[in-house]
Amino acid sequence: MAQVINTNMQSLNAQRNLATSQKMLGNTLERLSTGLRINSAKDDAAGLAISERFTSQIKGLNQAMRNANDGVSFTQTAEASLSTIGANMQRIRELAVQSTNASNSAGDRTALDNEVQGLLKEIQRVALNTEFNGRAILDGSDSANFFQVGSNQGQMISISGVNSKLSALGNQEIESVASYTTEELRRMESQGVTVGSVTIQGLGGAGKLASGISFSSASASSLEEAVSNINKAIQDEIDKGGTTGEGVADANLRAFLRVGNDGETSLVITGDHNTNTSGAGVAQFKVSGGSIGAQTGQASQFGETNLWASAKTAGVQTLEDLDIMTRETATDAMGRIDGALNQINALRAEIGATQVRFEQTISSLSVSSDNMSAARSRIRDADFAAETAELTRVQILQQAGISVLSQANSSPQSALALLQ
């Protein structure tokens, strides 16, 4: 092998290998100091791109969890206020039941009504003043609220706007044209009556009650039995299911008797305030037909009386003008409160179900975030056990490289022996 001085190949090779080991030592020290296997795109270009996509999803999931927790707080706020409204309504109904009793004087009913009016004002105040983050949530100002509960577009849970103002709570009611004195009711019971066909249907051809439900009986011995049979017919229609059955269930129809201030008894059919039977606006229902007459072979002492002179449309009744100053208005108030309680209870049930959805969503998001974080960690995080072993290896290589370079640098001195 030629002896040269200007070009020391052994030194050059040692320098190159030493530079490589120094670079590996630098990479290892960087990973140990940052805890990351990938500190820049040069470390793992594909791994960096994949881990960044994971990062976007993880950050989105974590924010979605916070959004869902906000949704839980929103529903808890709304439900607590609706619970207060419901409790006030229960008290109003209790007072209405008390007011219908004959033992009360006019002064007693005035005192009872004073409490009712105070409770109604409190219901209105809660509806108008319940806020979440500065936004009113029970006054009907929002048609819907959307909560982003996922890391991607369109992953939302919506809550319908809630309107619990007095003007939005109540029922629908139709009262028969015919009413009967106590003496006439006794005659019905003694000689028996026939009840002509009564038809209940929704307004509009597209409504769920468009085809209507009918009741007729030739065996009713009293108005009480007639009411019982109408309610049974309503329940039978619900049990059948189908479109009409669903419409009847949604309408929450019910028949009962009402005694007026003049002592005469009439037949009333009520439905929920927002019965969805016509598909437009505040849907209503109507009642037609029906008559009371003596059974065959019995002499009629009160003649045949139409329950409804013609098809009658339900009137919407709210809590705005409710009072219990008389027996009749107190009885009417019970019906309105029943309808309003149905609305409040339905709203609370819907909000409660949405809160459960939020809580389940949070649990699911948490699991997804954990699993994605684990996947990202396998790509991006440094394995300290492996990196410390690599640190030891490259430190030894560096020390060996320095020693070899020292020997390689002294190698050309052997050429001096040829000059002696």
Side-chain angles (χ1 to χ4, degrees):
M1 181 177 179
Q3 294 290 323
V4 296
I5 295 176
N6 289 334
T7 304
N8 189 341
M9 293 302 300
Q10 292 176 341
S11 177
L12 292 175
N13 286 331
Q15 291 177 47
R16 177 172 54 81
N17 291 327
L18 180 59
T20 300
S21 66
Q22 286 178 329
K23 181 180 180 181
M24 289 189 294
L25 177 62
N27 288 338
T28 301
L29 290 173
E30 183 181 29
R31 289 171 180 173
L32 290 172
S33 64
T34 62
L36 297 175
R37 186 182 72 86
I38 303 175
N39 290 284
S40 63
K42 67 179 178 59
D43 295 331
D44 185 348
L48 177 69
I50 295 170
S51 66
E52 284 298 312
R53 284 197 293 272
F54 274 124
T55 298
S56 297
Q57 291 295 304
I58 292 167
K59 287 182 177 292
L61 290 171
N62 291 338
Q63 181 59 54
M65 277 190 282
R66 292 192 288 272
N67 292 350
N69 275 307
D70 289 342
V72 170
S73 299
F74 178 93
T75 55
Q76 287 175 336
T77 301
E79 203 277 331
S81 293
L82 289 176
S83 176
T84 299
I85 291 174
N88 288 335
M89 288 183 180
Q90 293 286 7
R91 176 58 179 162
I92 291 173
R93 193 182 193 284
E94 182 181 5
L95 294 170
V97 172
Q98 183 178 355
S99 181
T100 57
N101 202 42
S103 62
N104 293 294
S105 65
D108 294 334
R109 288 194 170 103
T110 298
L112 293 171
D113 187 65
N114 287 338
E115 183 177 352
V116 167
Q117 299 307 317
L119 291 169
L120 289 173
K121 289 178 181 178
E122 179 61 13
I123 290 173
Q124 186 77 340
R125 186 197 66 79
V126 172
L128 293 175
N129 295 336
T130 299
E131 296 182 346
F132 184 81
N133 195 27
R135 293 173 53 241
I137 60 176
L138 296 182
D139 65 349
S141 58
D142 286 335
S143 59
N145 298 280
F146 295 91
F147 292 84
Q148 178 73 28
V149 293
S151 59
N152 299 316
Q153 301 178 57
Q155 296 176 341
M156 294 183 175
I157 289 178
S158 64
I159 302 177
S160 299
V162 176
N163 189 349
S164 59
K165 294 188 296 187
L166 296 179
S167 59
L169 301 174
N171 69 343
Q172 297 184 71
E173 175 182 291
I174 298 177
E175 185 173 357
S176 64
V177 172
S179 59
Y180 305 92
T181 64
T182 302
E183 182 181 356
E184 288 174 326
L185 292 176
R186 288 174 181 168
R187 291 174 185 170
M188 290 181 192
E189 294 176 0
S190 64
Q191 69 181 48
V193 295
T194 59
V195 180
S197 176
V198 176
T199 301
I200 308 172
Q201 66 184 122
L203 296 179
K208 284 187 175 182
L209 294 180
S211 59
I213 59 171
S214 297
F215 155 77
S216 62
S217 171
S219 60
S221 61
S222 64
L223 271 186
E224 287 87 350
E225 185 173 351
V227 168
S228 175
N229 288 338
I230 291 176
N231 285 328
K232 183 177 182 301
I234 290 171
Q235 187 59 49
D236 288 343
E237 200 65 46
I238 294 173
D239 293 340
K240 291 178 185 177
T243 301
T244 302
E246 290 177 8
V248 176
D250 291 343
N252 197 33
L253 299 175
R254 183 185 175 195
F256 58 92
L257 297 179
R258 173 175 295 163
V259 180
N261 293 331
D262 57 3
E264 294 193 351
T265 300
S266 58
L267 194 152
V268 177
I269 297 177
T270 65
D272 277 353
H273 181 272
N274 292 320
T275 302
N276 187 18
T277 55
S278 70
V282 178
Q284 297 175 307
F285 62 94
K286 64 182 179 181
V287 180
S288 59
S291 61
I292 296 291
Q295 290 189 12
T296 303
Q298 296 284 349
S300 175
Q301 299 181 40
F302 48 86
E304 182 176 7
T305 308
N306 291 326
L307 290 174
W308 286 274
S310 60
K312 294 192 68 178
T313 301
V316 176
Q317 302 183 120
T318 70
L319 303 187
E320 285 185 301
D321 56 349
L322 182 143
D323 72 78
I324 58 171
M325 294 291 290
T326 67
R327 178 178 61 231
E328 187 170 348
T329 59
T331 303
D332 173 68
M334 283 190 281
R336 298 194 197 190
I337 290 295
D338 284 341
L341 280 170
N342 285 336
Q343 291 174 262
I344 294 298
N345 293 336
L347 289 172
R348 292 182 66 186
E350 181 181 352
I351 289 174
T354 304
Q355 183 175 334
V356 171
R357 287 186 65 191
F358 279 130
E359 291 172 349
Q360 294 297 323
T361 297
I362 291 169
S363 177
S364 176
L365 291 172
S366 179
V367 172
S368 297
S369 178
D370 289 349
N371 289 329
M372 286 191 178
S373 295
R376 182 183 63 174
S377 176
R378 286 189 290 270
I379 296 172
R380 195 158 189 173
D381 289 344
D383 183 345
F384 268 63
E387 293 300 334
T388 52
E390 178 68 8
L391 176 63
T392 301
R393 186 182 74 85
V394 295
Q395 282 177 332
I396 293 172
L397 281 176
Q398 187 180 40
Q399 293 171 10
I402 292 173
S403 176
V404 169
L405 178 60
S406 177
Q407 294 180 29
N409 286 340
S410 64
S411 177
Q413 293 180 1
S414 63
L416 295 176
L418 297 176
L419 300 175
Q420 295 176 355

